[in-house]
Amino acid sequence: MLLWMKATADEMRSMVYTAAFWEDLSKGLPPGPEKIRYQNLIDFMTPILKAYCSDTGVRVCETAMQCLGGYGYCRDYPIERYLRDVKIMSLYEGTNGIQSMDLMGRKMLIRDGGCLKAFQEEIDGFCATHRNHPVLKNQVAQLASTAGELWSCAMEMRAQMKTDPLQWASTTYPALLAFGDLTMAWRLLDMAVIASDRATKNGRKNDFFKGKVYQATWFVDTTLPHTIARIGTFLRQGREIVDIPDNAF
Ligand SMILES: Cc1cc2nc3c(=O)[nH]c(=O)nc-3n(C[C@H](O)[C@H](O)[C@H](O)COP(=O)(O)OP(=O)(O)OC[C@H]3O[C@@H](n4cnc5c(N)ncnc54)[C@H](O)[C@@H]3O)c2cc1C
């Protein structure tokens, strides 16, 4: 529970900072392909940041309450207030369900698919650069294979949006979660690549860098297998969500 909360808070913070950096570049660069690339990245990342971080934030506060047991539930301590306060983030500024339709719909189409392409280049480029990393190569390989599954699934969903829009809409939210998992794994590995050199040196001060490596290997090894399984469900044939009659509820 503690490691999950640490990894999750750290990677969400890194996602937000990365997106803020892209936003600055998209505003500050002179007109040209680089400026468009960062605009594509920030456009793609916005619904993921909003929905994935707000829903995961609720889970972090809930886990923190669970760690503290009955004390966590009581008003004497701030966790119960954090848990209630964080929930609104999933509702306002576009509910997270609507954000997922924006990601898997509009953001797949604008600028001729340029948003997904820019994000894909970012992840694929990272995997190519670090595929032989002495400490993290297994995790980088998992990131690359999960990304490959997600890119092809996203393209099929893009086609499904036109041919079967209700069925498409029933899977946009889990698809957003898969993009969130992928982004989280990428941010953790990016930090771990920098930290891994420093983590191998002796001394207590290196615990900070060791923590970055441990959280990355643990998160990738225990999360991405679930993400791959989740991706496999997006295009299943079952149509229960669309077909269940209103009177069945
Ligand atoms: C504390 C608070 C502060 C707020 N502050 C502001 C503010 O300052 N300015 C402002 O403009 N608004 C504000 N709002 C309103 C907020 O933006 C809306 O509550 C939010 O957009 C959700 O709309 P809704 O409540 O009508 O929910 P609904 O739109 O009824 O959504 C209910 C559920 O249905 C889903 N849903 C809705 N449409 C679809 C669809 N087409 N397909 C599939 N699923 C769908 C949603 O994802 C959601 O899960 C505030 C709300 C709260 C609670």
Side-chain angles (χ1 to χ4, degrees):
M1 291 160 92
L2 291 179
L3 182 53
W4 180 77
M5 286 190 286
K6 169 183 162 40
T8 305
D10 213 13
E11 64 209 2
M12 287 195 290
R13 207 175 284 133
S14 176
M15 271 169 86
V16 172
Y17 294 158
T18 303
F21 181 55
W22 290 341
E23 174 75 10
D24 286 351
L25 290 170
S26 78
K27 293 275 187 300
L29 284 170
E34 272 297 273
K35 188 183 182 75
I36 294 170
R37 187 167 90 83
Y38 287 110
Q39 188 59 57
N40 280 331
L41 282 169
I42 192 72
D43 281 350
F44 192 75
M45 190 52 69
T46 300
I48 300 174
L49 274 181
K50 194 280 174 182
Y52 190 90
C53 293
S54 56
D55 278 345
T56 308
V58 173
R59 290 171 57 212
V60 170
C61 290
E62 190 226 336
T63 307
M65 182 181 281
Q66 193 69 23
C67 278
L68 295 174
Y71 279 126
Y73 184 77
C74 293
R75 280 208 159 169
D76 309 35
Y77 299 94
I79 289 294
E80 62 88 26
R81 181 163 53 81
Y82 296 159
L83 180 54
R84 184 175 197 287
D85 286 353
V86 76
K87 181 56 198 164
I88 187 57
M89 309 283 176
S90 68
L91 301 170
Y92 59 19
E93 303 293 341
T95 59
N96 288 355
I98 298 297
Q99 295 289 343
S100 75
M101 289 198 269
D102 179 50
L103 176 71
M104 300 309 293
R106 201 168 66 90
K107 297 294 168 63
M108 293 287 164
L109 298 176
I110 57 171
R111 294 187 211 102
D112 199 20
C115 296
L116 174 65
K117 194 159 167 266
F119 183 70
Q120 196 173 336
E121 282 169 4
E122 199 72 25
I123 303 287
D124 290 348
F126 175 85
C127 292
T129 305
H130 299 293
R131 66 172 184 267
N132 294 322
H133 191 278
V135 180
L136 300 160
K137 60 175 181 287
N138 290 342
Q139 285 74 26
V140 172
Q142 285 188 70
L143 181 69
S145 61
T146 311
E149 296 281 328
L150 194 51
W151 309 147
S152 61
C153 192
M155 294 317 288
E156 286 192 54
M157 282 185 72
R158 195 170 87 154
Q160 189 189 43
M161 181 176 25
K162 289 192 179 131
T163 57
D164 195 354
L166 288 180
Q167 181 75 355
W168 163 84
S170 72
T171 53
T172 56
Y173 182 70
L176 181 144
L177 292 183
F179 273 106
D181 285 347
L182 192 81
T183 311
M184 300 269 259
W186 165 53
R187 294 314 315 140
L188 282 179
L189 286 171
D190 194 22
M191 288 187 279
V193 163
I194 296 163
S196 63
D197 284 345
R198 299 161 206 200
T200 49
K201 294 178 187 145
N202 292 326
R204 279 193 70 195
K205 279 186 182 161
N206 294 333
D207 286 353
F208 173 80
F209 298 112
K210 284 180 190 162
K212 297 275 181 194
V213 177
Y214 280 128
Q215 69 183 13
T217 53
W218 178 79
F219 183 88
V220 170
D221 285 355
T222 62
T223 303
L224 291 190
H226 294 280
T227 310
I228 294 235
R230 174 181 273 156
I231 294 167
T233 68
F234 298 161
L235 294 164
R236 64 188 277 275
Q237 298 299 311
R239 302 179 58 81
E240 300 86 346
I241 293 177
V242 174
D243 290 346
I244 188 168
D246 291 351
N247 286 337
F249 286 92

